[in-house]
Amino acid sequence: MPPSSTKKVLLAAPRGYCAGVDRAVIAVEKALELHGAPIYVRKEIVHNKYVVETLTERGAIFVSETDEVPEGARVVFSAHGVSPAVRDAAAARQLTTIDATCPLVTKVHKEAVRFARDNQTILLIGHTGHEEVEGTAGEAPEHTIVVNSPDDVDGLEVPDPSNVVWLSQTTLSVDETMETVRRLRAKFPELQDPPSDDICYATQNRQVAVKKIAPQVELMIVVGSANSSNSVRLVEVALQSGADASYRIDRAREVHDEWFDGVTTVGVTSGASVPEILVRDVLDALAGRGYETVEEVRTATEDLMFSLPREIRADLKQREAANAMKA
């Protein structure tokens, strides 16, 4: 990279909140507004520390499982989705549920159900233990094998190699997923594709933006939490695409002075569960180190919006009707 006398920041666009995350966070906020605290949330609503801490301050209580929720209480399912077993457990406790599952994750769930109905073996590309993978696999546990990486492929055994289909976690690296699919197809030539791409538009768009910026910077900073799969992937994509160094941080206070030795151009992006305020704090921290010039590098424009969960819409409609009666 040619030397530059001017310190600057290349700011990725798109970055930050995707439509599914925005919908899920608003769902919890609206539930608190409509029903008051506490509102229980199974798992983290989205994988971001700041968001979880902020909602906790407002009265949300985050739990690991539904059996931690008092019987008859109200619980929100996170954007990552849940298995039928979780829904059954909630029903057994007579919980009022609000389903904030991202519609793109719901699409994958429906695909899993359909393929299992056809007795196909589902090779689910994703990370064992991730909430989204647990939810999707839970739709058809007898038919699903989780494939964590391309290296897992060689050891795979399936009942019928001619009746195999692949699905994927929505927040993976596009390149690594396609490499896994390539190896799967080499092992199972009759492997079927899902009807549409499972990796979410926001995950892909953020990776494309990083790929464009990375060759132009010595340092790429990714704002996002450690348990955010798509944020972690952005660090990997930056390094693979030419950035000399890349670090993931939750907050601006985690930026280290030693990262900037010999650095003239810094790239900044954020994962799909990161509010813009955290990015602005990082830009302020960089400006304090002399990186005051900020150039936005846009590779796509996102205008997708999802309607709020039907339970929230019904409650809002009921409140509007009650207000109209009073007027």
Side-chain angles (χ1 to χ4, degrees), residues 108 122-126 133 136-137 144-148 167-169:
V108 182
I122 301 164
L123 301 177
L124 177 58
I125 302 170
V133 170
T136 303
T144 304
I145 300 172
V146 178
V147 183
N148 281 273
L167 296 175
S168 79
Q169 182 181 328

Side-chain angles (χ1 to χ4, degrees), residues 47-51 53 221-228 247-255 274-275 278-279 281-282:
H47 286 159
N48 184 264
K49 281 185 180 180
Y50 174 87
V51 171
E53 290 168 2
I221 295 175
V222 176
V223 186
S225 293
N227 62 340
S228 167
Y247 300 99
R248 181 205 53 77
I249 60 172
D250 265 295
R251 304 291 292 270
R253 60 175 176 259
E254 297 171 21
V255 172
V274 178
L278 300 184
V279 176
D281 288 346
V282 170

Side-chain angles (χ1 to χ4, degrees), residues 5 85 99 140 217 317:
S5 58
D99 188 359
V217 304
K317 190 172 182 180

